Amino acid sequence: MSSRSAGRGEGRPTLEAVAALAGVGRGTVSRVVNGAAGVSPRARTAVEQAIAELGYVPNRAARSLATSRADAVALIIPETETRLASEPFFASIIRGVASELSETELQLLLILVSTERERRRLAGFLDGRRVDGVLMVSVHADDPVAELVESTGLPTVLGGRRSELEPLSYVNSDNLGGAWSAVRHLLGLGRRRVATITGPLDMEASCVRLEGYRRALEEAGVAVESPLIAHGDFSEESGEEAMAELLGREPALDAVFCASDLMAAGAMRALRRAGRRIPTDVAVVGFDDSPLARHTEPTMTTVRQPSEEMGRAMARLLLEEIAAPGRSHRQIILSTDLVVRESA
Amino acid sequence: MSSRSAGRGEGRPTLEAVAALAGVGRGTVSRVVNGAAGVSPRARTAVEQAIAELGYVPNRAARSLATSRADAVALIIPETETRLASEPFFASIIRGVASELSETELQLLLILVSTERERRRLAGFLDGRRVDGVLMVSVHADDPVAELVESTGLPTVLGGRRSELEPLSYVNSDNLGGAWSAVRHLLGLGRRRVATITGPLDMEASCVRLEGYRRALEEAGVAVESPLIAHGDFSEESGEEAMAELLGREPALDAVFCASDLMAAGAMRALRRAGRRIPTDVAVVGFDDSPLARHTEPTMTTVRQPSEEMGRAMARLLLEEIAAPGRSHRQIILSTDLVVRESA
DNA sequence: CCAGCAAATGGGAGCGCTCCCAACTTTCGA
DNA sequence: TCGAAAGTTGGGAGCGCTCCCATTTGCTGG
């Protein structure tokens, strides 16, 4: 049903074969295939028939060579360790990107970069212009991979930004608002000793979430105390350690806002081990609303960020950027919302 | 640091430019670039120098056109609904595949197929020979996507198989042994009314896990009763429903083996709602050892399948198949092991 | 009835690379 | 010392497609 005649790579019909069968020139066939104007109805039908008969499919390499377009975009995930697997966030991004791209002719190249070797390989790859644009998530402030991508001058869209003055286009979620509403929720519950576990501070999202925490506290007239702030790296283990640390410094804390669900899960574990009841003794709020949040015990109150939509928006932005290169860069902020469950 | 001179696509140096600068012919440069033998040391250094000086990177489209290789493989995930996001299994596969591929020149194309439109697009894509091989996971028995792939004649490796007489190469985990040991564990705990929630029966893995369940029971001289068997589709909701159904039919059951962690999580929820204690009243075992298993309450006993290794093995097999096409197809079975936690 | 213009069409000239062969060197054995 | 074998090298001939221009065809108006 798919490839006619001998399925081998060699026998595949070319533009020329179609032209011959349809009794027209290559140019005409090309026009039909690419939906260009200026083809008589008669010629068009003849060509379409020939295409169907031969089962013609254009050779992308040849097209690429002639047009110097790649018809592909890369999604770069600089994943340290096992984050890809443990954080469904990435999977959602992938889904969003893929679904948006499926409307187009563009292919999606997935590039996981963790080692130095892979980074070098990426450099050559991008310089080889095998893609028309680049999507990149999980960017750290001085990420060499991001710099590499930026230096290629390819259309690029980031998921998240490196700093407030991010020169590249990006899609971000409202980290400030999300964190703020999480902490406000905690305060609304009457909690006053609210701690926070941040993500890695070389990621802007972490800083902004911390800032949201600060603002909510200040607005409520509650002092921001550094013993109530601990740092993690988004991983579950780091959340567990940070929580233990917090508990050691501030035994009286009655709530904690974690910059990721994974860390919140770790924190919950640490709290349980310390004999604290959740949420009675300590209320916990996470960030992401990953599937995990519905499986912790108690279920987790968390800030939902629309990760799939984020992937979609990234892809859309990239398409625009590819279509109109040089245009000034754009950014999209997606709103977050608090999902209240049992833990707070 | 990456692209010299005017970064624009046009100004990029070609093979010819390198040849000119090095004072040799195109053939020699090509030989050097491709590490072919038969180049004098003198010529080789001259070429290498020129390449460095010009920052030359071969144009892949041109190479593809000339060699009719694509230097890429596709990973096809026929994902229904949100499975990609909810099942870290896929993420692990991706990681494994990507890490194995990073040793090579091959690029990884990710193709998510869920709609009919996307399937048609895939057909054209594969016929366009844009990849040298195909990797595919989550295959259903009469999966049209799998048939499509098979019909292209491209080197292909499946994750899982469609039936016992799967003609394509595949990597599979020991579903039979895994299920068997899970149920044996349950029996060892003294449980005698052991139920099971299967996956979709149009997937071989589901059938085999069910078979493992049967055998363990039979070996122990325990009758296999159909009221103790319910069917799900690997999703959490289906697990919940199936468990409710089971409870209705067989209130006295004291254990349940679920063909996926997600369904086990759903089952646990249903049990809790029905007032059954886990594992006191009903012991639960899942399958996959997804991250989720460590977050349920109680934590889940489950069968671990090495999903990342599965991805790796798939990639390795595909590389072999691409290198030596026509060679008879191969299969690899990865062993599973039981991870005992609190739920059983 | 024909000049004059627009629409349609054919096909040459690449795109940058690999393949392969003819030609040239060098080396070695007799 | 010479011919043959082995080692090198250059570059023509594509790979299949798009771009673009010259040419042909089909109309319209004077």
Side-chain angles (χ1 to χ4, degrees), chain A residues 12 81 95 127 236 295, chain B residues 12 79 81 95 127 295:
Chain A
R12 325 202 59 248
E81 326 207 353
R95 256 179 65 88
D127 278 344
E236 183 166 354
H295 292 290
Chain B
R12 326 201 58 249
E79 46 127 29
E81 324 204 357
R95 255 180 65 89
D127 279 344
H295 292 290

Side-chain angles (χ1 to χ4, degrees), chain B:
Chain B
M1 114 197 239
S2 74
S3 62
R4 316 201 147 231
S5 61
R8 307 285 303 295
E10 14 276 73
R12 326 201 58 249
T14 69
L15 231 210
E16 192 114 30
V18 175
L21 180 59
V24 301
R26 290 197 330 279
T28 303
V29 178
S30 178
R31 262 162 244 143
V32 171
V33 169
N34 296 293
V39 179
S40 66
R42 225 170 64 76
R44 162 160 282 121
T45 10
V47 171
E48 282 167 347
Q49 211 159 72
I51 287 180
E53 186 158 336
L54 257 31
Y56 170 74
V57 178
N59 178 318
R60 302 302 268 280
R63 179 179 288 178
S64 273
L65 182 56
T67 59
S68 69
R69 272 175 307 158
D71 284 329
V73 303
L75 171 55
I76 300 179
I77 303 183
E79 46 127 29
T80 342
E81 324 204 357
T82 56
R83 289 190 60 201
L84 209 214
S86 55
E87 295 183 32
F89 173 72
F90 292 116
S92 298
I93 295 275
I94 294 176
R95 255 180 65 89
V97 170
S99 83
E100 194 71 28
L101 250 34
S102 78
E103 312 280 310
T104 72
E105 280 287 84
L106 296 179
Q107 285 305 320
L108 174 59
L109 275 156
L110 225 209
I111 306 186
L112 268 38
V113 187
S114 48
T115 67
E116 176 58 29
R117 254 189 73 250
E118 287 169 353
R119 186 151 77 230
R120 268 201 301 280
R121 185 162 170 264
L122 172 64
F125 174 79
L126 294 177
D127 279 344
R129 286 292 185 280
R130 296 203 51 183
V131 289
D132 300 318
V134 175
L135 255 19
M136 182 170 170
V137 293
S138 186
V139 279
H140 292 249
D142 51 356
D143 198 324
V145 180
E147 274 161 25
L148 179 67
V149 171
E150 193 176 358
S151 76
T152 64
L154 280 167
T156 303
V157 175
L158 302 180
R161 59 184 187 183
R162 287 170 293 175
S163 75
E164 283 175 67
L165 12 75
E166 176 60 67
L168 297 172
S169 290
Y170 64 82
V171 175
N172 207 157
S173 44
D174 179 13
N175 291 306
L176 190 66
W180 180 83
S181 64
V183 176
R184 221 177 64 114
H185 172 72
L186 255 11
L187 292 167
L189 256 28
R191 311 288 168 147
R192 280 300 172 271
R193 307 294 301 163
V194 182
T196 188
I197 299 178
T198 75
L201 293 183
D202 65 339
M203 289 186 71
E204 211 255 352
S206 301
C207 298
V208 173
R209 289 174 198 175
L210 174 57
E211 180 58 23
Y213 160 85
R214 284 213 167 91
R215 290 213 196 159
L217 250 38
E218 282 165 5
E219 269 178 39
V222 176
V224 177
E225 300 170 36
S226 62
L228 284 171
I229 301 177
H231 306 293
D233 63 7
F234 283 147
S235 76
E236 182 166 354
E237 295 68 38
S238 76
E240 192 168 349
E241 287 165 23
M243 190 71 242
E245 188 186 321
L246 245 20
L247 245 21
R249 283 206 298 255
E250 199 66 30
L253 61 82
D254 57 11
V256 59
F257 162 61
C258 307
S260 83
D261 281 357
L262 229 42
M263 293 197 299
M268 285 169 74
R269 173 171 306 171
L271 285 169
R272 202 171 306 123
R273 219 184 23 227
R276 301 295 215 284
R277 286 164 304 173
I278 305 170
T280 321
D281 301 329
V282 180
V284 178
V285 178
F287 203 111
D288 279 347
D289 193 24
S290 73
L292 172 148
R294 293 181 301 126
H295 292 290
T296 51
E297 175 59 30
T299 55
M300 191 189 296
T301 293
T302 184
V303 178
R304 198 178 71 80
Q305 59 173 335
S307 39
E308 186 166 337
E309 176 54 28
M310 192 161 176
R312 271 218 187 70
M314 287 173 67
R316 260 188 315 249
L317 224 49
L318 185 62
L319 291 176
E320 286 176 23
E321 205 126 317
I322 290 173
R327 194 93 105 231
S328 65
H329 294 166
R330 295 182 46 192
Q331 43 271 138
I332 291 180
I333 312 296
L334 300 174
S335 62
T336 55
D337 39 27
L338 188 69
V339 180
V340 179
R341 298 208 180 84
E342 301 167 354
S343 71

Side-chain angles (χ1 to χ4, degrees), chain A residues 106-188:
Chain A
L106 296 179
Q107 285 305 320
L108 175 59
L109 276 154
L110 226 207
I111 307 186
L112 268 38
V113 186
S114 47
T115 67
E116 175 58 30
R117 252 188 77 249
E118 286 167 355
R119 187 151 76 231
R120 267 201 302 278
R121 185 163 170 263
L122 173 64
F125 174 78
L126 294 177
D127 278 344
R129 285 294 184 278
R130 296 203 51 182
V131 289
D132 300 317
V134 175
L135 254 21
M136 181 170 171
V137 294
S138 185
V139 277
H140 291 249
D142 51 356
D143 199 323
V145 179
E147 275 161 24
L148 179 66
V149 171
E150 192 176 358
S151 76
T152 64
L154 281 166
T156 304
V157 176
L158 303 181
R161 59 184 187 181
R162 287 171 292 174
S163 75
E164 283 176 66
L165 11 76
E166 176 62 68
L168 297 172
S169 289
Y170 64 82
V171 176
N172 206 160
S173 44
D174 179 14
N175 290 307
L176 189 67
W180 180 84
S181 66
V183 176
R184 221 175 64 114
H185 173 72
L186 255 13
L187 292 168

